[in-house]
Amino acid sequence: MGKVRVAGFSLSLDGYGAGLHQDLENPIGVRGLEIMRWFFETKVFQAMHGQSGGAAGVDNDFASRAFENVGAWILGRNMFGPIRGTWGDESWKGWWGDTPPYHTPVFVLTHYARAPLVMNGGTTFYFVTDGLQSALEQAREAANGKDVRIGGGVSTIRGYLRMGAIDEMHLVLSPVLLGEGEHLFGGLNLPQLGFGQVEAFPGENATHMVLKKS
Amino acid sequence: MGKVRVAGFSLSLDGYGAGLHQDLENPIGVRGLEIMRWFFETKVFQAMHGQSGGAAGVDNDFASRAFENVGAWILGRNMFGPIRGTWGDESWKGWWGDTPPYHTPVFVLTHYARAPLVMNGGTTFYFVTDGLQSALEQAREAANGKDVRIGGGVSTIRGYLRMGAIDEMHLVLSPVLLGEGEHLFGGLNLPQLGFGQVEAFPGENATHMVLKKS
């Protein structure tokens, strides 16, 4: 069976995985995109957007590994979009245009039912209204032996951490202070949740931390 | 006038600058010493203890710089010792033996008066009972144009951050999860307190982050 993992998830030095006040202009909250700068500069990111540029190196290697062997994704509602409440006219299809960078089934946690949304390139968004455990079971089945990647955001990761469901986390610490936002670790005791080992790898624009269960 | 700075202050990946339950065996709380491993392995630390070994490199360079141009130190009571309340028979003279690694005047914040304590090697501990502002003024005067280093611990640094008194912080992020302890950033908004720039420097055993006012 594949792993359940968090990968390429960016944090500020003060521990925030997103800023506040998400909206169309600020998909990760105000100043949230600053913590992802390491990713935007990689070849992997540029290629995802049809560009040939971008940097090779440690940051790029980790970005690449984050997408390897992933058979299904789980996203929180806010990571899928800024809409709250019902889906309205269902015109919102995610932040990523017609060809999202997932290329697998993606299970979106929501309180509001919606029919599956088939996108180009192999991505289908399934809207799961019966909770984290159900989404995980569906994602595991869809992944068919490959890994399930918990994409985020912060509250989704925290939910799966509390369930003890996450096997491995690759977090990327950016040299940025947000001051406020969604804190990944606040109130969680990671050693108590089973995480005993941390390995650090300096990248070009951020530090990569791999947390494993002991 | 010199700077007021924090230097070489170690943090766990989950943001703790000390563990819980400080006592004689655990000067930085339970598991707290793990976040300082980067320092113990340096030539600077070994030399402080009369040893010739230890590693050169980035960690060592930062350890060395942390002690440069320091004219006075400020320490919280817990960083001076595990004793609470009155000083009793005054036999406690700090964690560091007869020749502490300060070699300057050191101002110790406490609610309990005690006569200055002259140690070998140029260190004198002064016990300040009238608050952070007073300790800072005394330290600035004693530093005589050199820097004042806020040694710690966490609550002392937080107090001076809230006062807006700290010009620069060199924090050292260790790949360790403590899970609980004294959190350096919790509830503080560093950009609001004036810290706008962060530079990251990968070391051999930790990542060095230099935070400056913008």
Side-chain angles (χ1 to χ4, degrees), chain A residues 26-64:
Chain A
N26 297 286
I28 315 179
V30 171
R31 295 191 52 215
L33 290 173
E34 293 179 38
I35 61 178
M36 288 183 67
R37 190 173 69 86
W38 70 274
F39 183 47
F40 300 145
E41 303 203 355
T42 62
K43 284 176 85 73
V44 166
F45 180 82
Q46 295 297 325
M48 276 169 52
H49 294 77
Q51 309 291 323
S52 59
V58 174
D59 289 342
N60 190 64
D61 288 347
F62 272 98
S64 175

Side-chain angles (χ1 to χ4, degrees), chain A residues 116-196:
Chain A
L117 186 57
V118 180
M119 307 296 289
N120 295 336
T123 299
T124 299
F125 293 112
Y126 295 93
F127 300 89
V128 179
T129 56
D130 53 350
L132 276 71
Q133 184 64 45
S134 169
L136 183 58
E137 285 164 16
Q138 292 179 60
R140 274 198 191 280
E141 188 167 335
N144 196 21
K146 290 189 171 182
D147 296 341
V148 173
R149 181 166 161 187
I150 311 289
V154 166
S155 69
T156 300
I157 294 174
R158 289 171 61 87
Y160 283 110
L161 279 172
R162 281 201 201 89
M163 280 172 52
I166 297 177
D167 300 307
E168 190 178 310
M169 290 200 286
H170 160 229
L171 304 175
V172 192
L173 200 83
S174 291
V176 169
L177 294 163
L178 288 188
E180 57 184 6
E182 294 183 50
H183 202 275
L184 184 63
F185 295 131
L188 294 181
N189 184 320
L190 274 94
Q192 255 174 29
L193 293 169
F195 288 90

Side-chain angles (χ1 to χ4, degrees), chain B residues 70-201:
Chain B
V70 174
W73 287 68
I74 298 175
L75 306 183
R77 165 69 179 253
N78 297 2
M79 190 159 162
F80 180 71
I83 300 167
R84 303 293 180 265
T86 62
W87 293 105
D89 66 1
E90 301 201 352
S91 62
W92 182 263
K93 296 182 177 182
W95 304 97
W96 309 277
D98 293 333
T99 310
Y102 302 108
H103 312 292
T104 70
V106 176
F107 297 87
V108 178
L109 297 158
T110 169
H111 294 294
Y112 300 92
R114 179 171 173 180
L117 185 57
V118 180
M119 308 295 289
N120 294 337
T123 299
T124 298
F125 293 112
Y126 296 92
F127 300 89
V128 179
T129 56
D130 53 351
L132 276 71
Q133 183 64 46
S134 169
L136 183 58
E137 284 164 16
Q138 293 180 59
R140 275 198 192 280
E141 188 167 335
N144 196 20
K146 290 187 171 183
D147 296 343
V148 173
R149 181 167 162 186
I150 311 290
V154 167
S155 68
T156 299
I157 295 174
R158 290 171 61 87
Y160 283 111
L161 280 172
R162 281 201 202 90
M163 281 173 50
I166 297 176
D167 299 307
E168 189 178 310
M169 290 200 286
H170 160 229
L171 303 175
V172 192
L173 200 83
S174 291
V176 170
L177 293 163
L178 288 188
E180 57 185 6
E182 295 183 49
H183 203 275
L184 184 62
F185 295 129
L188 293 182
N189 184 321
L190 274 92
Q192 255 175 29
L193 292 169
F195 288 90
Q197 296 177 55
V198 183
E199 280 188 286
F201 304 89

Side-chain angles (χ1 to χ4, degrees), chain A residues 78-95:
Chain A
N78 297 2
M79 192 160 160
F80 180 70
I83 300 167
R84 304 293 179 267
T86 62
W87 294 105
D89 66 0
E90 301 200 353
S91 61
W92 181 262
K93 296 182 177 182
W95 303 97

